Amino acid sequence: MPCCGALGAHRRSTLLPSAPSSRLCTRHSAHVTLRHVTPRGGRGRLPPPIHPLPSRPQAGRACAVCGAALRRAAHAQSGGAARGVRGAMAGYSAEERGAPHSAGYRLFLKDAAGRYISPFHDIPLRDGGAENVFNMVVEIPRWTNAKMEIATKDPLNPIKQDVKKGKLRYVANVFPHKGYIWNYGALPQTWEDPGHKDEGTGCCGDNDPIDVCEIGSKVCSRGEVIKVKVLGTLALIDEGETDWKIIAINVEDPEAGNYNDIHDVRRMKPGYLEATVDWFRRYKVPDGKPENQFAFNGEFKDKDFAVNVIKSTHEHWKALIAKKTDGGEINCTNLTVSDSPFCCSQECAKATVDAAPPCTAANPIPPEVDKWFYYPKN
């Protein structure tokens, strides 16, 4: 029986909780013998089960979640995984698993009630305020090099470090830039549909949430959820795919009131937009790839254009989460979209997190990450 109808092709990666006192979804009590623990608190009712429990166990069968879990019983007997819990941010908090700067590192997000959620699907795109104010999930703090991203193919979509050709990915420093020159992240509940060709760019989407370059003065933390004021957008064409880059500023920035559209960035931060185009044009050149191209001759579009792009990608996400569009390998497990066939319980979410390796000390960053590359500007 699938767990809450949620995990799809990724059932194999959901494991038994590491701590003996943890629990699997109570819907699995007919399949495995575990002490039943009533869900805590009663705050915020969980969605109803998608599939009913069988009246009695089916011999020789187990839920995809519990079955995978039992195959990792030895891991469960380790006494429980240590957790790296980071402070609450705008009602959300982050929990680290694995060693930073390793392929096994994951950063899971939790809501204000301490429940595990998907940053892709469960954080609302916007929750009131002006029309151009949205929630942003910070994946990469400014000046850092590690290419962190929402893991769209993993259950709960934790933040992880990208891996290319078996190696952890770090962006190169193309002079005069050091790491990412903004706080970089994504807007939740958006999706650049690879099956949809944009009329303006002539290219299909890149299969990810829409990207954001936050230009405020604060260096944010990985996994932080902030409200941003959208100012404009740049249309990057990345290996033949449309990859929108939203330009925005943290609403809590001391100077946020001075920014209302893309021309304010040019006026208040001269050279910043030009540096942004230069960064995206050349950041893959050290990897042996050609310079990236842009739609609209590399010109930034204004706030209204950007908001319309966001609304469009939000509609694509709605079709994805309702299974009206084939998302391929995208994992749509969520806990709050009640009409989604991928909705699961908090107990299943907790089992996914508890299955991840314990939080340990960070691995050293390779020294070559600080190397500078010099290329003439075309």
Side-chain angles (χ1 to χ4, degrees), residues 138-213:
V138 177
E139 298 165 309
I140 307 169
R142 188 166 70 241
W143 311 136
T144 62
N145 296 74
K147 179 67 175 74
M148 309 301 297
E149 60 185 13
I150 291 173
T152 59
K153 298 177 183 179
D154 289 5
L156 295 185
N157 314 116
I159 295 173
K160 69 173 185 178
Q161 188 164 355
D162 190 21
V163 176
K164 292 290 186 183
K165 298 180 180 178
K167 295 182 63 177
L168 293 172
R169 187 176 170 194
Y170 296 87
V171 297
N173 305 302
V174 179
F175 185 82
H177 311 303
K178 176 63 179 78
Y180 285 76
I181 62 174
W182 345 257
N183 294 302
Y184 192 74
L187 296 183
Q189 296 189 345
T190 62
W191 181 52
E192 297 190 65
D193 185 353
H196 172 77
K197 180 180 287 189
D198 186 89
E199 293 181 0
T201 67
C203 298
C204 295
D206 71 347
N207 204 31
D208 284 324
I210 199 166
D211 296 321
V212 187
C213 302

Side-chain angles (χ1 to χ4, degrees), residues 4-24:
C4 314
L7 298 184
H10 302 276
R11 293 166 182 148
R12 60 184 178 276
S13 59
T14 307
L15 309 175
L16 185 69
S18 300
S21 61
S22 299
R23 62 192 182 278
L24 292 176

Side-chain angles (χ1 to χ4, degrees), residues 22 31 55 59 84 114 127 133 144 169 172 178 215 253 270 272 298 348 378:
S22 299
H31 300 284
S55 56
D127 48 12
V133 173
T144 62
R169 187 176 170 194
K178 176 63 179 78
I215 66 171
D253 189 272
Y272 202 8
C348 290
N378 294 334

Side-chain angles (χ1 to χ4, degrees), residues 217 229 249-259 268-269:
S217 58
K229 182 193 293 187
I249 188 168
N250 190 335
V251 298
E252 295 184 358
D253 189 272
E255 297 186 343
N258 296 325
Y259 292 86
M268 298 287 292
K269 295 179 181 286

Side-chain angles (χ1 to χ4, degrees), residues 95-355:
E95 180 174 312
E96 292 181 302
R97 289 289 180 136
H101 312 303
S102 76
Y105 176 79
R106 296 293 186 272
L107 186 71
F108 292 92
L109 265 67
K110 303 164 80 172
D111 65 11
R115 296 170 295 205
Y116 295 107
I117 58 170
S118 160
F120 188 0
H121 306 302
D122 290 316
I123 296 174
L125 174 59
R126 53 195 307 265
D127 48 12
E131 184 183 10
N132 66 324
V133 173
F134 299 89
N135 287 320
M136 171 188 174
V137 180
V138 177
E139 298 165 309
I140 307 169
R142 188 166 70 241
W143 311 136
T144 62
N145 296 74
K147 179 67 175 74
M148 309 301 297
E149 60 185 13
I150 291 173
T152 59
K153 298 177 183 179
D154 289 5
L156 295 185
N157 314 116
I159 295 173
K160 69 173 185 178
Q161 188 164 355
D162 190 21
V163 176
K164 292 290 186 183
K165 298 180 180 178
K167 295 182 63 177
L168 293 172
R169 187 176 170 194
Y170 296 87
V171 297
N173 305 302
V174 179
F175 185 82
H177 311 303
K178 176 63 179 78
Y180 285 76
I181 62 174
W182 345 257
N183 294 302
Y184 192 74
L187 296 183
Q189 296 189 345
T190 62
W191 181 52
E192 297 190 65
D193 185 353
H196 172 77
K197 180 180 287 189
D198 186 89
E199 293 181 0
T201 67
C203 298
C204 295
D206 71 347
N207 204 31
D208 284 324
I210 199 166
D211 296 321
V212 187
C213 302
E214 192 280 316
I215 66 171
S217 58
K218 175 187 173 183
V219 177
C220 294
S221 301
R222 182 185 306 152
E224 191 169 355
V225 180
I226 61 175
K227 293 183 186 298
V228 295
K229 182 193 293 187
V230 168
L231 306 171
T233 189
L234 177 69
L236 173 68
I237 305 301
D238 190 353
E239 300 183 19
E241 297 175 332
T242 301
D243 190 3
W244 294 104
K245 305 300 180 183
I246 300 296
I247 308 300
I249 188 168
N250 190 335
V251 298
E252 295 184 358
D253 189 272
E255 297 186 343
N258 296 325
Y259 292 86
N260 296 294
D261 214 323
I262 197 67
H263 60 79
D264 293 320
V265 182
R266 187 169 284 108
R267 175 176 56 87
M268 298 287 292
K269 295 179 181 286
Y272 202 8
L273 295 181
E274 292 78 6
T276 294
V277 172
D278 183 62
W279 195 98
F280 282 116
R281 187 186 303 279
R282 301 193 294 158
Y283 81 103
K284 289 186 177 181
V285 173
D287 298 328
K289 295 184 178 181
E291 291 185 351
N292 279 322
Q293 303 300 312
F294 303 89
F296 313 115
N297 297 316
E299 296 178 0
F300 287 83
K301 294 296 185 178
D302 65 13
K303 171 192 67 178
D304 293 338
F305 188 100
V307 169
N308 285 333
V309 169
I310 294 168
K311 289 180 178 178
S312 175
T313 58
H314 182 53
E315 292 302 316
H316 294 318
W317 171 83
K318 286 181 179 179
L320 172 71
I321 203 70
K323 209 173 182 179
K324 295 179 180 177
T325 298
D326 183 7
E329 295 184 83
I330 295 288
N331 192 293
C332 294
T333 302
N334 69 87
L335 293 94
T336 61
V337 188
S338 58
D339 57 348
S340 168
F342 304 101
C343 199
C344 80
S345 75
Q346 179 60 204
E347 293 152 321
C348 290
K350 186 178 185 303
T352 296
V353 177
D354 285 343

